[in-house]
Amino acid sequence: MSLTLAVPVTVAIARRVDPARSSEMVAWMRAGTALAEAFPGFLGAGWVQSGPGSPEWHMLYRFADAETLHRWEESPQRHWWLSSAQGIVEHTRVERRTGIEGWFDPPLEHSVDPIEPVGPVGPATPPRWKQAVTIWLAFFPLSLSATLLTSRFLDAVPLAARVLLMTLCLTPLMTYLVLPRITRALHWWLHGQPAPWRAL
């Protein structure tokens, strides 16, 4: 029996619409979000306009894994929703992100009034070397602690079994506890912002 961990999938879609129809665009996206919320695995959605009067809109939504995302994307509800915007909305780009890199994605929750100035979808994804350093900072102390504990209390257990046990324990700890905390703490560094203590 194989062990598979659910990996959240984030979908980013760029769309264009006549600025005169911004109110219709907002109503259409709210309707799509309301439909998606009824599907198992839905984790959140949001949208922003690139700027005041801009025809560019960016929408993000996230599902718990590829399977739940597929159910939404192939559902009659979504097909009806997309067809209802024909002639109004133009789809220009779709991007999918999965895996641990998702912790470095821009925030999912956005709601804007189209008549007020808004910025881009969020900060750009940090450089990969910064992502690697952040993951190492989370992984090293966790791995070291686990190695010391297993060598002390499970010394008689075969090496392969010890490594299996460590990875089964460390993977969810890294994904759901340690990595979210360290990415929040280092958000300023990941996105090239001034250190919090310098802003005081």
Side-chain angles (χ1 to χ4, degrees):
M1 183 179 69
S2 61
L3 177 67
T4 57
L5 294 175
V7 179
V9 184
T10 301
V11 181
I13 303 177
R15 294 184 166 106
R16 293 177 60 89
V17 67
D18 184 344
R21 309 189 77 165
S22 292
S23 296
E24 295 172 65
M25 181 67 168
V26 171
W28 179 73
M29 288 188 291
R30 285 176 176 163
T33 300
L35 288 172
E37 285 174 348
F39 279 72
F42 178 75
L43 298 178
W47 61 87
V48 291
Q49 190 177 11
S50 291
S54 171
E56 296 285 344
W57 290 78
H58 302 272
M59 186 172 189
L60 291 168
Y61 58 88
R62 171 171 277 187
F63 276 79
D65 51 41
E67 182 179 349
T68 54
L69 172 64
H70 179 75
R71 288 175 188 164
W72 158 245
E73 292 189 330
E74 296 302 317
S75 67
Q77 294 94 321
R78 182 172 182 270
H79 287 298
W80 169 83
W81 174 66
L82 290 175
S83 66
S84 70
Q86 287 184 358
I88 301 175
V89 178
E90 176 189 353
H91 307 276
T92 59
R93 189 180 73 254
V94 178
E95 179 181 352
R96 296 168 187 265
R97 293 179 182 175
T98 59
I100 204 164
E101 185 178 354
W103 286 115
F104 303 99
D105 292 344
L108 290 181
E109 298 293 336
H110 291 283
S111 180
V112 301
D113 185 338
I115 66 173
E116 294 180 358
V118 295
V121 172
T125 301
R128 286 192 177 272
W129 71 268
K130 286 191 175 184
Q131 296 181 35
V133 170
T134 302
I135 292 170
W136 179 84
L137 288 173
F139 181 74
F140 175 71
L142 202 61
S143 177
L144 179 61
S145 300
T147 301
L148 292 173
L149 288 172
T150 54
S151 63
R152 177 166 182 169
F153 298 105
L154 301 175
D155 187 51
V157 177
L159 178 61
R162 272 190 286 162
V163 173
L164 175 63
L165 181 62
M166 283 175 55
T167 54
L168 287 175
C169 294
L170 295 186
T171 300
L173 279 175
M174 271 282 293
T175 304
Y176 297 108
L177 182 64
V178 179
L179 196 54
R181 292 174 182 271
I182 198 166
T183 53
R184 281 197 297 270
L186 295 179
H187 182 273
W188 61 273
W189 177 72
L190 286 165
H191 297 285
Q193 299 169 355
W197 55 86
R198 291 185 179 178
L200 296 178

